[in-house]
Amino acid sequence: FLAALGYDVFNPMEVIPEFTADIGTKKGEKVDYAIKKDNDVIMLVECKWSGADLHNDHKAQLFRYFATTEARFGVLTNGLTYEFYSDLDEPNKMDARPFFVFHILDFQKHQIEDLKKFTKAAFSIDEILNSASTLKYTGAIKKILESELTEPSESFVRFFATQIFDGRLTKPVLDQFTRIVKEARTQFINDKINDRLQSALSGDEPQVLLPT
């Protein structure tokens, strides 16, 4: 993966395995890889086995190492999923959530463009940080939308119901609107898919693009 990003994995001055990241009085702490560019550490990489669930406490080590180097980016990976972290919320303290996640076996085309920013040729701390906040919060919003569209919460149903229903929102009414919201969601998505198909068949560019 690092080689695909353009880094020379055979150059120990560029890709440093078992990089020492002493933490206070705790000496000999090592992060799996440190990536250097122009003699500066730009990324730390902590690797877990391919079946590891990165949602567990595996990021604790990376969190500790992050504050001991000048690196602005940390990567936690199990070889299939790559989570990219920075210190967007508080300087020199790794954020609790990644701002970018790349799955080797399940990714979207637009994520390739985001990943290219981490290549050796294109790497720019300022450029990545400028887009990191947008990436982080866009990803979080997409997860919320996916969850709400799959199984609408009461607050999501209320958002629509209060705009089109003048009566009291009792439980039976909310139950009814939950079914209506689900049906409206299905019809909306089908309509947009049909619009895209018709546009593709006619050779016209679709006016509305659904996220893929």
Side-chain angles (χ1 to χ4, degrees):
F1 185 82
L2 295 175
L5 293 180
Y7 298 100
D8 185 355
V9 296
F10 299 107
N11 180 356
M13 299 300 291
E14 184 167 294
V15 178
I16 309 171
E18 295 295 307
F19 182 74
T20 300
D22 291 336
I23 303 168
T25 58
K26 198 170 184 179
K27 303 299 181 182
E29 289 286 290
K30 296 181 183 297
V31 64
D32 290 322
Y33 294 97
I35 312 301
K36 276 191 172 185
K37 184 179 181 184
D38 299 328
N39 210 36
D40 294 324
V41 176
I42 58 173
M43 280 190 288
L44 302 177
V45 184
E46 184 68 17
C47 304
K48 302 302 175 185
W49 71 288
S50 61
D53 180 0
L54 299 182
H55 293 288
N56 290 333
D57 254 350
H58 290 306
K59 65 184 176 188
Q61 285 177 289
L62 187 60
F63 184 90
R64 295 198 306 271
Y65 302 145
F66 190 87
T68 67
T69 74
E70 68 270 28
R72 294 297 304 276
F73 304 105
V75 182
L76 178 63
T77 180
N78 58 12
L80 298 175
T81 300
Y82 290 78
E83 296 184 345
F84 290 78
Y85 294 83
S86 190
D87 55 352
L88 301 175
D89 297 333
E90 189 174 339
N92 207 36
K93 182 179 179 181
M94 194 181 87
D95 298 334
R97 297 181 179 180
F99 66 87
F100 176 55
V101 179
F102 187 83
H103 303 270
I104 282 183
L105 302 180
D106 182 19
F107 59 88
Q108 306 297 329
K109 287 184 179 180
H110 68 85
Q111 292 180 307
I112 295 293
E113 296 306 313
D114 294 324
L115 187 62
K116 284 180 181 179
K117 295 174 184 176
F118 291 93
T119 61
K120 180 180 177 180
F123 188 89
S124 165
I125 290 179
D126 291 337
E127 185 177 344
I128 296 174
L129 289 176
N130 284 338
S131 62
S133 291
T134 300
L135 279 173
K136 179 179 179 179
Y137 297 119
T138 298
I141 291 171
K142 284 171 67 177
K143 286 184 178 179
I144 294 171
L145 286 172
E146 181 181 9
S147 175
E148 292 289 5
L149 290 174
T150 301
E151 194 59 45
S153 66
E154 181 178 318
S155 59
F156 190 73
V157 173
R158 281 182 178 273
F159 171 78
F160 293 103
T162 53
Q163 298 185 62
I164 57 179
F165 182 72
D166 295 326
R168 184 165 168 263
L169 294 178
T170 61
K171 187 179 185 308
V173 172
L174 285 173
D175 290 342
Q176 180 185 13
F177 266 98
T178 298
R179 293 190 295 270
I180 292 172
V181 167
K182 288 182 177 181
E183 179 60 29
R185 167 210 62 193
T186 301
Q187 290 184 18
F188 177 80
I189 292 175
N190 287 341
D191 288 346
K192 292 306 175 185
I193 290 174
N194 288 332
D195 287 345
R196 293 193 67 177
L197 289 173
Q198 290 298 325
S199 297
L201 290 172
S202 64
D204 296 329
E205 288 293 326
Q207 296 301 310
V208 180
L209 294 178
L210 285 179
T212 55

